Amino acid sequence: MSQTLDLAIALIQRASVTPEDAGCQDLMMQRLAKLGFREERLRFGEVDNLWARRGDKGPVFCFAGHTDVVPTGPLEDWHSPPFQPEIRDGMLYGRGATDMKGSLAAMLTASERFIAAHPDHKGAIAFLITSDEEGPSINGTTKVVDTLEARNEKIDWCLVGEPSSTDRVGDVVRNGRRGSLGGVLHVAGIQGHVAYPHLARNPVHEVAPALAELASTQWDQGNAFFPATTLQISNIHAGTGATNVIPASCEITFNLRYSTESNEQDLRQRIEALLDGHGLDYRIDWTLSGLPFLTPQGELVEAAQKAITAVSGLQTELSTAGGTSDGRFIAPTGAQVLELGPCNATIHQINECVAVDDLDTLSAMYERILENLLA
């Protein structure tokens, strides 16, 4: 087995269901310490975070990732136990194989080879590892970034190991992400008997036209890097369960994935103005999960493009599609941020898996990126 595969297996064997780290960071730090990385453990609440750095001067290149994984789902549906990694037909199976313990292994072995070849490399290499990416993301990367910012310790280039690829490793790189603004809309009515609607006020009936308008609103046109902003209603709840009772309230959960053509304040104001126009008795509990960010053409993008072409001959596609990642916490500091990882077809699924050969390919790409920037 390759060193990358061996390390990926060792990481998958640790049942680090969010927010548990289950010793993954210890395993990584044992190897990083041998390379001269200084260790800093940052625990916030029940979340373990690791900041490890080699080199005192800039520029700083940072590998960012997470050791936590999503729950397994029904164990009986797995073809092999999710934390007992197994290789079948060239695929490594196990929870976290793709998201993102395979990437963590590739980052570490790439660093080992690069440092062996360039012990006096330029700048610094860092690892920012959390166990709170798949959970609330409150005590993880965002808190580490706050700590670094408070002491003016800057990251210049950050490569996040999220599974970005579609058909082949490196065919897609995420150079940005949409913002995520969520809301829970509470609409008040007056409970009553369905036979006497004139004595009640049905919040479901009242909010329905407003929801139709929200769903059909065009928020912006997007731009060359981002698709247009979208709003999706994900949950509606009302009633007591009885068929003859007009409900006293209705609760609607919705989310906007928004481009850099919109911003949080304007979106909130537009939605509230729309609801006001329908005369609703309401309140909204807002949650901003992440701001949109974009890394344009520059040193990091060029280094990744050259590395991917050199290793696999691919001309990579730059994309801002998909959900959010911890890159949203790092980009606002001024860092250039990219996401490059394995193919994402099985992430969060039963029988999650990654191609064994892809792990070494990814490690080679990471190593070449380091060479392009710090050799």
Side-chain angles (χ1 to χ4, degrees):
M1 293 190 297
S2 75
Q3 290 191 13
T4 306
L5 174 60
D6 188 48
L7 179 54
I9 288 173
L11 290 169
I12 295 168
Q13 287 172 335
R14 288 158 170 78
S16 54
V17 176
T18 191
E20 294 297 324
D21 169 71
C24 292
Q25 292 174 25
D26 287 339
L27 177 61
M28 295 180 67
M29 194 61 225
Q30 288 171 13
R31 296 176 68 147
L32 290 171
K34 295 176 182 178
L35 301 175
F37 281 80
R38 299 190 310 273
E39 171 186 358
E40 186 174 358
R41 297 299 179 103
L42 298 165
R43 184 173 174 86
F44 301 103
E46 58 183 354
V47 175
D48 291 307
N49 302 288
L50 171 66
W51 173 252
R53 176 169 172 166
R54 185 185 197 272
D56 296 321
K57 299 179 180 180
V60 177
F61 177 93
C62 176
F63 284 115
H66 60 92
T67 55
D68 60 321
V69 299
V70 296
T72 62
L75 293 176
E76 61 271 18
D77 291 343
W78 286 75
H79 295 157
S80 54
F83 297 113
Q84 295 178 25
E86 186 174 298
I87 298 173
R88 300 191 301 274
D89 300 322
M91 305 295 292
L92 172 64
Y93 288 83
R95 175 57 85 219
T98 301
D99 190 13
M100 59 178 295
K101 293 182 176 181
S103 295
L104 295 179
M107 292 171 178
L108 210 154
T109 56
S111 298
E112 288 174 336
R113 294 192 306 274
F114 173 76
I115 291 169
H118 307 280
D120 299 317
H121 60 78
K122 296 186 293 185
I125 304 172
F127 279 72
L128 195 170
I129 309 298
T130 184
S131 64
D132 185 36
E133 198 275 345
E134 300 292 6
S137 299
I138 295 173
N139 290 316
T141 299
T142 182
K143 288 285 183 67
V144 178
V145 169
D146 289 344
T147 301
L148 298 177
E149 285 288 287
R151 64 194 189 204
N152 199 33
E153 187 171 1
K154 293 289 187 179
I155 297 169
D156 296 281
W157 305 304
C158 181
L159 196 153
V160 185
E162 290 294 338
S164 64
S165 305
T166 302
D167 298 313
R168 293 180 60 189
V169 174
D171 61 357
V172 177
V173 169
R174 309 287 182 203
N175 67 322
R177 292 282 190 168
R178 293 173 293 175
S180 177
L181 176 62
V184 180
L185 170 62
H186 305 268
V187 181
I190 298 176
Q191 184 171 311
H193 196 292
V194 296
Y196 302 94
H198 60 288
L199 300 178
R201 198 175 79 244
N202 193 322
V204 178
H205 292 186
E206 291 185 346
V207 77
L211 297 184
E213 187 174 348
L214 284 173
S216 62
T217 296
Q218 187 169 55
W219 305 98
D220 59 44
Q221 300 288 333
N223 54 38
F225 300 100
F226 290 91
T229 294
T230 61
L231 180 146
Q232 291 294 312
I233 297 167
S234 57
N235 200 358
I236 300 176
H237 177 76
T240 63
T243 61
N244 60 351
V245 177
I246 293 172
S249 63
C250 181
E251 180 180 287
I252 299 98
T253 304
F254 63 91
N255 180 268
L256 295 113
R257 294 302 167 103
Y258 66 99
S259 75
T260 50
E261 296 297 309
S262 295
N263 62 66
E264 176 201 2
Q265 183 177 1
D266 287 346
L267 290 170
R268 288 176 56 162
Q269 289 177 347
R270 289 179 65 184
I271 289 171
E272 289 170 359
L274 186 154
L275 297 172
D276 289 341
H278 285 268
L280 299 175
D281 180 5
Y282 74 93
R283 80 172 197 277
I284 302 179
D285 298 325
W286 293 102
T287 302
L288 179 65
S289 299
L291 298 170
F293 72 90
L294 178 70
T295 297
Q297 200 74 26
E299 302 99 337
L300 183 57
V301 169
E302 292 172 5
Q305 290 173 325
K306 291 178 180 178
I308 292 166
T309 300
V311 172
S312 296
L314 294 172
Q315 298 296 319
T316 192
E317 172 191 349
L318 298 178
S319 172
T320 61
T324 59
S325 78
D326 276 1
R328 69 190 189 272
F329 303 123
I330 301 167
T333 69
Q336 298 177 34
V337 178
L338 283 186
E339 299 172 23
L340 170 60
C343 296
N344 53 30
T346 65
I347 57 174
H348 293 199
Q349 293 185 11
I350 301 293
N351 297 314
E352 179 182 351
C353 60
V354 64
V356 169
D357 291 343
D358 286 354
L359 295 175
D360 284 325
T361 299
L362 186 61
S363 182
M365 290 176 179
Y366 289 164
E367 180 184 6
R368 188 63 66 97
I369 291 172
L370 287 170
E371 291 174 348
N372 291 341
L373 293 172
L374 297 180

